[in-house]
């Protein structure tokens, strides 16, 4: 009865990939690949378009709207959003000339997102463990009540929370932006509980018979077995925190704690000559997306391969 | 899961130090305290940042609170107003239309994509590409598509031009605006949803498929007979999360149309935002939120009941 947490690679080593051993070329296969190719194309194209536009001269975009290559290729848009271009240069390329400090906003986003994610995943795993692997009266009721938090429209809690943060004197501080998300997110608990539930009882039972207490079973048995889902959740929650827009706008619009999404929103509102500064906007969005994409590139193999674990064999 | 008689359970509780505890007992005192400790941080966050503001919000919904003055109790007046509010009715209609288009396309495509990832190719590259849209924030996605779908110089309309079709004002037309925003968000969430479903599929033992293949079952048949039934807990999770999220679409609307043209994209969340932060009618906005909350709770409850999310067929 050896049940161990396994990575995807190990699963493959044991089970095979499930893809047909003999690759027969059939109509179904060709069709399936076509569909997959199409989905990938539609997925990637907007990224390319962001790139192409960001390297274009904003003022010349409308003259060649369908050119696949950047129009009059230039770094101008990046200089503009990083505050390195003079007002005259910026306006010559369709910018507004307003000062912008995207570097600072990116740093703020990193600080806020790391703190939020660390809290959510760890505390979420603790709670999920209690709901999935421990027995206590009222367990399911409390879980259901937690679950209802998922249904409470964020906008509903945000103004009372705004008043709370204001009363605590935490407006325009990192703490004010982080706190409401830090201790709990229903999604993390719900997500991990589903995975914890599917870990066979016998595994934990063995540790229990060896005299392991709950804390040790949590760290030594459950967490390692759920490492795939945990890593997935960490990445998902980080991305979520990074993309948060409404709340930071409410409590952290101040320049010194302003995060990237809020910065972009403000930039979008500065519309010169009636049309948005498309090139500048795309340079900004690219810089906002880049740190996350790089992070993902570093972990991609690990993330997509570590999702899931084998059950009882 | 064995069931024990009452006497066995009592005996389990009298064992010293909680050792040798039956897995199906109600837990020793020590286990109960441990559980409390494990739940404590989440409970703190729940009470302070969910429960307390929720209670405050419910209280405000019975008042005329405008953020600046002390709230005055007005009883059910706000709720009476909600049911006669044409803008609210329109907001609900628009939101339901959005959810149906968004969740319909997203779920079907995500299932298809997850199956392709599971049965056709397990290339890491493919899976990484698929997840990319989810990495970028709503604000960024909204801005990129706002640019690509621009009525004059957006690439989409250039493309339609090559095909000899008329340009479509995607965000500026009453009929196009909601489907456009719904599909933009489908684009963003498709890979993430497929990833979650795929994670569930990985947990299905492969020998089930082997047996199916030996019996000569087609992929189509195996999907309906094996994958879908065994995927139910994860699918339930995914559906509940995405439907509730979809009902609360806001960022995309805020960045692109601002609720327009007319009221065509004034989804419920945006209407509440309007009431609370533009017109400072916070009491009334809270009442609308309560109604929305009740609708969401009912939808989620029905879904979980239908899917029986608690029971996994795999483990």
């Amino acid at each position: 009865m050896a049940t161990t947490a396994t990575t995807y690679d190990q699963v493959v080593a044991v089970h095979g990939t499930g893809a047909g051993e003999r690759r027969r070329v059939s109509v179904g296969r060709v069709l399936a690949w076509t569909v997959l190719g199409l989905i990938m194309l539609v997925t990637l194209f907007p990224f390319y378009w962001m790139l192409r536009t960001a390297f274009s001269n904003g003022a010349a975009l409308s003259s060649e709207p369908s050119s696949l290559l950047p129009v009059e290729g230039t770094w101008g848009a990046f200089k503009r959003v990083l505050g390195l271009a003079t007002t005259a240069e910026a306006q010559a390329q369709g910018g507004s000339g307003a000062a912008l400090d995207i570097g600072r906003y990116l740093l703020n986003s990193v600080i806020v997102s790391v703190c939020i994610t660390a809290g959510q995943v760890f505390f979420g795993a603790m709670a999920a463990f209690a709901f999935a692997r421990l027995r206590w009266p009222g367990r399911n009721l409390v879980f259901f009540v937690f679950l209802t938090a998922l249904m409470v429209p964020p906008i509903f809690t945000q103004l009372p929370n705004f008043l709370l943060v204001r009363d605590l004197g935490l407006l325009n501080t990192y703490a004010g932006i982080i706190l409401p998300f830090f201790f709990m997110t229903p999604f993390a608990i719900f997500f991990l509980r589903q995975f914890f539930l599917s870990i066979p009882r016998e595994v934990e039972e063995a540790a229990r018979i060896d005299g392991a207490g709950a804390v040790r079973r949590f760290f030594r048995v459950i967490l390692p077995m759920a490492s795939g889902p945990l890593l997935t959740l960490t990445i998902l929650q980080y991305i979520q925190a990074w993309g948060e827009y409404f709340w930071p706008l409410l409590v952290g619009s101040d320049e010194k704690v302003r995060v990237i999404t809020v910065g972009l929103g403000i930039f979008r509102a500065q519309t010169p000559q009636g049309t948005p500064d498309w090139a500048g906007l795309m340079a900004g969005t690219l810089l906002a997306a880049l740190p996350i994409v790089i992070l993902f590139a570093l972990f991609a193999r690990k993330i997509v391969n570590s999702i899931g674990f084998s059950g009882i064999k | 899961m064995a069931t024990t008689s009452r006497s066995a359970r009592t005996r389990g509780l009298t064992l010293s130090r909680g050792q040798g505890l039956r897995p199906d007992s109600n837990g020793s005192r020590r286990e109960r305290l441990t559980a409390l400790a494990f739940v404590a941080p989440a409970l703190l966050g729940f009470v302070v940042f969910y429960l307390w503001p929720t209670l405050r919000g419910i209280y405000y919904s019975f008042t005329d609170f405008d953020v600046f003055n002390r709230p005055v109790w007005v009883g059910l007046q706000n709720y009476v107003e909600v049911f006669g509010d044409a803008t609210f009715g329109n907001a609900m209609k628009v939101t339901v239309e959005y959810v149906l288009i968004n969740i319909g396309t997203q779920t079907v495509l995500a299932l298809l994509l997850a199956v392709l990832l599971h049965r056709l190719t397990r290339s890491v590259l493919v899976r990484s590409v698929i997840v990319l849209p989810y990495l970028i924030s709503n604000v960024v996605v909204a801005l990129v598509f706002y640019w690509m779908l621009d009525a004059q110089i957006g690439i989409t309309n250039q493309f339609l031009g090559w095909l000899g079709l008329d340009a479509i004002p995607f965000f500026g037309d009453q009929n196009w605006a909601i489907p456009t925003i719904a599909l933009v968000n489908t684009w963003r969430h498709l890979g993430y949803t497929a990833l979650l479903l795929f994670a569930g599929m990985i947990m299905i033992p492969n020998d089930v498929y082997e047996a199916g293949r030996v019996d000569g079952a087609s992929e189509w048949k195996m999907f309906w007979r094996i994958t879908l039934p065994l995927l139910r807990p994860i699918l339930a999770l995914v559906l509940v999360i995405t439907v509730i999220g979809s009902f609360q679409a806001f960022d995309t609307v805020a960045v692109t149309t601002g609720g327009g043209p007319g009221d065509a994209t004034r989804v419920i969340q945006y209407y509440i935002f309007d009431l609370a932060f533009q017109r400072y009618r916070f009491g009334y906005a809270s009442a609308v939120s309560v109604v929305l909350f009740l609708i969401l709770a009912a939808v989620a409850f029905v879904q979980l009941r239908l899917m029986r999310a608690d029971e996994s067929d795999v483990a």
Side-chain angles (χ1 to χ4, degrees):
Chain A
M1 197 57 149
T3 320
T4 47
T6 46
T7 63
Y8 168 74
D9 287 331
Q10 286 165 289
V11 173
V12 171
V14 178
H15 297 276
T17 62
E21 265 31 83
R22 294 185 311 282
R23 294 290 172 100
R24 286 167 301 126
V25 178
S26 64
V27 176
R29 282 194 85 80
V30 172
L31 192 67
W33 274 109
T34 310
V35 170
L36 190 60
L38 205 62
I39 292 177
M40 286 176 73
L41 183 72
V42 172
T43 300
L44 285 173
F45 186 78
F47 288 94
Y48 175 73
W49 210 241
M50 228 195 295
L51 202 67
R52 170 263 185 198
T53 310
F55 282 104
S56 294
N57 179 340
L61 270 178
S62 56
S63 61
E64 287 187 73
S66 56
S67 155
L68 280 177
L69 292 171
V71 184
E72 298 177 21
T74 167
W75 287 93
F78 290 96
K79 283 187 178 157
R80 207 153 56 237
V81 297
L82 291 169
L84 305 172
T86 65
T87 308
E89 277 174 346
Q91 285 173 336
Q93 290 199 3
S96 69
L100 200 69
D101 188 2
I102 282 209
R104 178 70 203 253
Y105 307 157
L106 289 172
L107 180 67
N108 287 337
S109 278
V110 169
I111 292 168
V112 166
S113 306
V114 166
C115 291
I116 288 177
T117 307
Q120 284 185 340
V121 172
F122 186 67
F123 296 139
M126 282 171 69
F129 177 76
F131 287 126
R133 318 297 299 188
L134 297 172
R135 323 210 121 242
W136 39 289
R139 182 181 65 173
N140 293 341
L141 178 72
V142 174
F143 179 69
F144 181 76
V145 169
F146 271 24
L147 206 58
T148 57
L150 208 58
M151 270 79 83
V152 177
I155 203 161
F156 185 46
T157 50
Q158 262 155 351
L159 196 74
N161 274 337
F162 173 81
L163 298 174
L164 179 67
V165 166
R166 187 191 61 183
D167 296 344
L168 293 171
L170 294 175
L171 282 186
N172 290 317
T173 62
Y174 291 129
I177 302 174
I178 292 164
L179 272 179
F181 302 99
F182 185 66
F183 293 103
M184 137 153 194
T185 173
F187 173 69
I189 297 172
F190 189 20
F191 180 88
L192 288 176
R193 178 180 170 268
Q194 294 279 329
F195 282 102
F196 287 177
L197 277 174
S198 62
I199 296 173
R201 278 226 162 265
E202 293 81 356
V203 187
E204 219 187 331
E205 212 47 41
R208 202 199 283 266
I209 287 163
D210 291 344
V215 175
R216 210 161 123 211
R217 295 201 305 273
F218 175 65
F219 282 106
R220 288 292 168 79
V221 180
I222 302 294
L223 288 190
M225 286 199 73
S227 59
L230 276 170
L231 187 62
T232 308
L233 182 75
T234 303
I235 301 291
L236 293 178
Q237 294 311 103
Y238 186 85
I239 289 160
Q240 184 94 38
W242 183 271
E244 199 63 50
Y245 175 61
F246 191 69
W247 177 252
L249 180 71
L250 221 53
V251 300
S253 54
D254 194 89
E255 184 86 31
K256 66 179 184 352
V257 294
R258 188 183 296 164
V259 295
I260 186 70
T261 45
V262 177
L264 282 175
I266 290 172
F267 181 38
R268 151 87 174 87
Q270 302 164 339
T271 301
Q273 306 116 38
T275 57
D277 170 12
W278 292 121
L281 211 49
M282 289 305 110
T285 55
L286 198 65
L287 288 170
L290 217 52
I292 293 269
V293 173
I294 289 170
L295 176 88
F296 182 73
L298 291 175
F299 288 105
R301 173 168 291 275
K302 196 165 165 49
I303 295 160
V304 296
N305 275 353
S306 64
I307 299 163
F309 38 87
S310 66
I312 304 175
K313 288 234 297 300
Chain B
M1 282 297 272
T3 49
T4 46
S5 65
R6 179 171 295 279
S7 62
R9 186 172 305 158
T10 324
R11 228 178 313 131
L13 286 175
T14 52
L15 281 171
S16 60
R17 311 280 173 275
Q19 286 199 357
L21 194 72
R22 304 297 301 254
D24 47 356
S25 77
N26 204 9
S28 63
R29 184 162 167 274
R30 189 173 139 191
E31 185 162 10
R32 290 206 289 269
L33 286 173
T34 309
L36 184 65
F38 269 97
V39 175
L43 201 59
L44 174 77
F46 175 77
V47 169
V48 176
F49 295 107
Y50 286 93
L51 186 63
W52 168 235
T54 298
L55 294 177
R56 260 175 116 177
I58 291 171
Y59 162 69
Y60 289 143
S61 77
F62 293 102
T63 70
D64 67 351
F65 188 46
D66 63 358
V67 187
F68 306 110
N69 303 302
R70 291 186 71 88
V72 175
W73 186 266
V74 295
L76 287 171
Q77 192 186 304
N78 289 328
Y79 290 95
V80 172
E81 191 182 338
V82 171
F83 287 102
D85 182 349
T87 318
F88 171 79
N90 175 70
M92 273 323 289
K93 187 175 79 71
V94 166
T95 305
V96 169
E97 187 193 342
Y98 169 90
V99 171
L100 288 177
I101 297 172
N102 177 237
I103 296 300
T105 54
Q106 188 174 291
T107 309
V108 171
L109 286 172
L111 265 172
L112 170 74
L113 186 50
V115 169
L116 290 176
L117 294 176
H118 184 54
R119 309 292 302 157
L120 184 68
T121 174
R122 299 222 173 156
S123 140
V124 179
L125 180 70
V126 172
R127 274 183 283 150
S128 307
V129 167
I130 294 308
V131 177
L132 274 178
Y134 191 72
L135 304 185
I136 50 184
S137 61
N138 277 330
V139 174
V140 168
V141 173
L143 290 174
V144 172
F145 275 92
Y146 197 51
W147 162 227
M148 284 175 55
L149 298 170
D150 184 74
Q152 272 81 46
I153 56 171
I155 184 65
T156 315
N157 276 318
Q158 300 298 319
F159 182 69
L160 291 177
W162 293 332
L163 297 178
L165 298 166
D166 289 339
I168 298 169
F170 288 97
F171 290 101
D173 182 277
Q174 296 265 1
N175 300 322
W176 279 102
I178 276 288
T180 299
I181 292 174
L183 290 174
V184 165
N185 285 325
T186 295
W187 179 86
R188 178 172 182 251
H189 288 102
L190 176 61
Y192 154 75
T193 314
L195 186 84
L196 290 181
L197 295 175
F198 176 78
M201 287 179 189
I202 283 264
M203 299 200 308
I204 301 171
N206 206 49
D207 28 22
V208 187
Y209 290 101
E210 287 301 329
R213 216 200 327 257
V214 170
D215 292 348
S218 64
E219 285 290 343
W220 180 249
K221 203 163 184 173
M222 286 204 269
F223 170 76
W224 290 104
R225 295 286 168 79
I226 300 172
T227 309
L228 211 50
L230 291 182
L231 198 64
R232 213 183 47 216
I234 304 290
L235 189 61
L237 160 80
V238 167
L239 267 174
V240 169
I241 302 280
T242 52
V243 167
I244 288 168
S246 190
F247 259 99
Q248 298 171 45
F250 173 85
D251 296 0
T252 321
V253 172
V255 173
T256 57
T257 63
D263 280 340
T265 57
R266 193 171 304 278
V267 289
I268 192 76
Q269 188 92 343
Y270 197 82
Y271 181 48
I272 295 169
F273 163 77
D274 244 8
L275 288 168
F277 298 98
Q278 312 285 326
R279 303 182 225 169
Y280 301 111
R281 294 197 58 198
F282 190 65
Y284 184 55
S286 299
V288 176
S289 305
V290 171
V291 174
L292 174 64
F293 171 62
L294 293 174
I295 292 169
L296 291 182
V299 167
F301 182 74
V302 168
Q303 278 184 307
L304 283 172
R305 261 298 139 91
L306 286 177
M307 311 279 298
R308 299 210 315 269
D310 253 6
E311 302 156 31
S312 167
D313 296 342
V314 178

